[in-house]
Coordinates of all heavy atoms in Angstrom, one line a residue:
M25 N 0.8 -1.2 0.0 CA 0.0 0.0 0.0 C 0.8 1.3 0.0 O 0.4 2.3 -0.5 CB -1.0 0.0 1.1 CG -2.1 -0.8 1.0 SD -3.2 -0.2 -0.3 CE -4.4 -1.5 -0.7
D26 N 2.0 1.2 0.6 CA 3.0 2.4 0.6 C 3.8 2.4 -0.5 O 4.7 3.4 -0.6 CB 3.5 2.6 2.0 CG 4.5 1.3 2.3 OD1 4.5 0.3 1.5 OD2 5.1 1.3 3.4
Y27 N 3.6 1.6 -1.5 CA 4.7 1.7 -2.7 C 4.4 3.0 -3.5 O 3.2 3.2 -3.8 CB 4.4 0.4 -3.6 CG 5.4 0.5 -4.6 CD1 6.8 0.1 -4.5 CD2 5.0 0.8 -6.1 CE1 7.6 0.0 -5.5 CE2 5.9 0.9 -7.0 CZ 7.3 0.4 -6.8 OH 8.1 0.4 -7.9
P28 N 5.4 3.7 -3.8 CA 5.1 5.0 -4.5 C 5.0 4.8 -5.9 O 5.8 4.0 -6.6 CB 6.4 5.8 -4.3 CG 7.5 4.8 -3.9 CD 6.8 3.6 -3.2
L29 N 4.0 5.5 -6.6 CA 4.0 5.5 -8.0 C 4.4 6.8 -8.6 O 3.8 7.9 -8.5 CB 2.4 5.3 -8.4 CG 1.7 4.0 -7.8 CD1 0.3 4.2 -8.1 CD2 2.4 2.8 -8.4
P30 N 5.6 6.9 -9.2 CA 6.2 8.2 -9.6 C 5.6 8.6 -11.1 O 5.3 7.8 -11.8 CB 7.7 7.8 -9.9 CG 7.7 6.3 -10.2 CD 6.5 5.7 -9.4
F31 N 5.5 9.9 -11.3 CA 5.0 10.5 -12.4 C 6.0 11.4 -13.1 O 5.7 12.5 -13.6 CB 3.7 11.2 -12.2 CG 2.5 10.3 -12.0 CD1 2.2 9.8 -10.7 CD2 1.8 9.8 -13.1 CE1 1.2 9.1 -10.4 CE2 0.7 8.9 -12.8 CZ 0.4 8.6 -11.4
A32 N 7.3 11.0 -12.8 CA 8.4 11.9 -13.3 C 8.2 13.3 -12.9 O 8.0 13.5 -11.7 CB 8.4 11.8 -14.9
D33 N 8.3 14.3 -13.7 CA 8.2 15.6 -13.3 C 6.8 16.3 -13.7 O 6.6 17.5 -13.5 CB 9.3 16.5 -14.0 CG 9.3 16.4 -15.5 OD1 8.5 15.5 -16.0 OD2 9.9 17.3 -16.1
R34 N 5.9 15.3 -14.0 CA 4.6 15.9 -14.5 C 3.6 16.1 -13.3 O 2.8 16.9 -13.3 CB 4.0 14.9 -15.5 CG 4.8 15.2 -16.8 CD 4.4 14.0 -17.8 NE 5.0 14.4 -19.1 CZ 6.2 14.4 -19.5 NH1 7.2 14.3 -18.6 NH2 6.6 14.7 -20.7
F35 N 3.7 15.1 -12.4 CA 2.7 15.2 -11.1 C 3.5 14.7 -10.0 O 4.4 13.9 -10.1 CB 1.5 14.1 -11.4 CG 0.7 14.5 -12.7 CD1 0.8 13.8 -13.9 CD2 -0.2 15.5 -12.7 CE1 0.2 14.2 -14.9 CE2 -1.0 15.9 -13.9 CZ -0.7 15.2 -15.0
P36 N 3.0 15.0 -8.9 CA 3.7 14.4 -7.6 C 3.5 12.8 -7.5 O 2.4 12.4 -8.0 CB 2.9 15.2 -6.5 CG 2.3 16.3 -7.1 CD 2.0 16.0 -8.5
S37 N 4.3 12.2 -6.8 CA 4.3 10.8 -6.7 C 3.0 10.6 -5.8 O 2.8 11.3 -4.8 CB 5.5 10.2 -6.2 OG 6.5 10.3 -7.1
V38 N 2.4 9.5 -5.8 CA 1.3 9.0 -5.0 C 1.5 7.6 -4.6 O 2.4 6.9 -5.2 CB -0.2 9.1 -5.8 CG1 -0.4 10.5 -6.2 CG2 -0.2 8.2 -6.9
T39 N 0.9 7.1 -3.6 CA 1.0 5.8 -3.1 C 0.0 4.9 -3.7 O -1.1 5.4 -4.1 CB 1.0 5.8 -1.6 OG1 -0.3 6.0 -1.2 CG2 2.1 6.6 -1.0
V40 N 0.2 3.6 -3.7 CA -0.9 2.7 -4.1 C -2.1 2.9 -3.4 O -3.3 2.9 -3.9 CB -0.4 1.2 -4.1 CG1 -1.5 0.2 -4.3 CG2 0.8 1.0 -5.0
E41 N -2.0 3.1 -2.0 CA -3.1 3.2 -1.1 C -4.0 4.3 -1.6 O -5.3 4.2 -1.4 CB -2.7 3.4 0.3 CG -3.9 3.4 1.3 CD -3.4 3.6 2.7 OE1 -2.2 3.8 2.9 OE2 -4.3 3.3 3.7
S42 N -3.5 5.4 -2.1 CA -4.3 6.6 -2.6 C -5.0 6.3 -3.8 O -5.7 7.2 -4.3 CB -3.5 7.8 -2.7 OG -2.5 7.8 -3.7
T43 N -4.8 5.2 -4.5 CA -5.4 5.0 -5.8 C -6.5 3.9 -5.8 O -7.2 3.7 -6.9 CB -4.4 4.5 -6.9 OG1 -3.9 3.4 -6.5 CG2 -3.2 5.6 -6.8
V44 N -6.6 3.1 -4.8 CA -7.5 2.0 -4.9 C -8.9 2.2 -4.7 O -9.8 1.3 -5.1 CB -7.1 0.9 -3.8 CG1 -5.6 0.4 -4.2 CG2 -7.1 1.3 -2.4
D45 N -9.3 3.3 -4.1 CA -10.8 3.6 -3.8 C -11.2 4.7 -4.9 O -10.9 5.9 -4.7 CB -10.9 4.0 -2.4 CG -12.3 4.1 -2.0 OD1 -13.3 4.1 -2.9 OD2 -12.7 4.3 -0.8
T46 N -12.1 4.4 -5.8 CA -12.4 5.3 -6.7 C -13.4 6.3 -6.1 O -13.6 7.5 -6.7 CB -13.1 4.6 -8.0 OG1 -14.3 4.1 -7.6 CG2 -12.2 3.7 -8.7
R47 N -13.9 6.0 -5.0 CA -14.9 7.0 -4.3 C -14.2 8.2 -3.7 O -14.8 9.3 -3.5 CB -15.7 6.3 -3.3 CG -16.6 5.1 -3.9 CD -17.1 4.2 -2.8 NE -16.0 3.8 -1.9 CZ -16.1 3.1 -0.7 NH1 -17.4 2.7 -0.4 NH2 -15.1 2.7 0.0
A48 N -12.9 8.0 -3.4 CA -12.2 9.0 -2.7 C -11.6 10.0 -3.6 O -11.5 9.9 -4.9 CB -11.1 8.4 -1.9
E49 N -11.2 11.2 -3.2 CA -10.5 12.2 -3.9 C -9.1 11.8 -4.3 O -8.6 11.0 -3.4 CB -10.5 13.6 -3.0 CG -11.8 14.2 -2.8 CD -11.7 15.6 -2.3 OE1 -10.6 15.9 -1.7 OE2 -12.7 16.2 -2.0
P50 N -8.7 12.2 -5.4 CA -9.2 13.2 -6.3 C -10.2 12.4 -7.4 O -10.5 13.0 -8.3 CB -7.9 13.7 -7.1 CG -7.0 12.5 -7.1 CD -7.3 11.8 -5.8
Y51 N -10.5 11.2 -7.2 CA -11.3 10.5 -8.3 C -12.8 10.8 -8.3 O -13.3 11.2 -9.1 CB -10.9 9.1 -8.3 CG -9.5 8.7 -8.1 CD1 -9.0 8.2 -6.9 CD2 -8.6 8.9 -9.2 CE1 -7.5 8.1 -6.8 CE2 -7.3 8.7 -9.1 CZ -6.6 8.2 -7.9 OH -5.3 8.1 -7.9
C52 N -13.4 10.4 -7.2 CA -14.8 10.7 -6.9 C -15.7 10.2 -8.0 O -16.4 11.0 -8.5 CB -15.0 12.1 -6.8 SG -14.0 12.9 -5.4
Y53 N -15.4 8.9 -8.2 CA -16.5 8.2 -9.3 C -16.8 6.8 -8.9 O -16.0 6.3 -8.1 CB -15.9 8.4 -10.7 CG -14.6 7.4 -10.9 CD1 -14.9 6.1 -11.4 CD2 -13.4 8.0 -10.7 CE1 -13.8 5.3 -11.5 CE2 -12.3 7.1 -11.0 CZ -12.5 5.8 -11.4 OH -11.4 4.9 -11.7
T54 N -17.8 6.3 -9.4 CA -18.1 4.9 -9.3 C -18.7 4.4 -10.7 O -18.8 5.4 -11.6 CB -19.2 4.5 -8.2 OG1 -20.4 5.3 -8.5 CG2 -18.8 5.0 -6.8
Y55 N -19.0 3.1 -10.7 CA -19.6 2.7 -12.1 C -21.0 2.2 -11.8 O -21.4 1.7 -10.8 CB -18.7 1.6 -12.6 CG -17.3 2.0 -13.1 CD1 -16.2 1.8 -12.3 CD2 -17.2 2.4 -14.4 CE1 -15.0 2.3 -12.8 CE2 -15.9 2.8 -14.8 CZ -14.9 2.7 -14.1 OH -13.6 3.1 -14.5
D56 N -21.7 2.3 -12.9 CA -23.1 1.7 -12.9 C -23.1 0.2 -13.0 O -22.3 -0.3 -13.7 CB -23.9 2.3 -14.1 CG -25.3 2.1 -14.1 OD1 -25.8 1.2 -13.3 OD2 -26.1 2.8 -14.9
S57 N -23.8 -0.3 -12.1 CA -23.8 -1.8 -12.1 C -25.1 -2.5 -12.6 O -25.4 -3.5 -12.5 CB -23.7 -2.3 -10.5 OG -24.8 -1.8 -9.8
S58 N -26.0 -1.7 -13.4 CA -27.1 -2.2 -14.0 C -26.8 -3.1 -15.2 O -25.7 -3.2 -15.7 CB -28.0 -1.0 -14.5 OG -27.3 -0.3 -15.5

């Protein structure tokens, strides 16, 4: 979970933990399950 995901000089690095929940910021989305 604490593994860093680097984006070179384009964006700040983020951790895996910050990417796994699409409901959380900065993503704030879910999918339709119909």
Side-chain angles (χ1 to χ4, degrees):
M25 280 294 166
D26 59 357
Y27 184 79
L29 303 172
F31 289 89
D33 58 350
R34 286 165 172 69
F35 303 100
S37 296
V38 299
T39 63
V40 168
E41 184 175 11
S42 69
T43 68
V44 296
D45 190 350
T46 66
R47 302 167 302 176
E49 293 184 353
Y51 311 106
C52 302
Y53 70 89
T54 60
Y55 289 98
D56 190 342
S57 58
S58 67

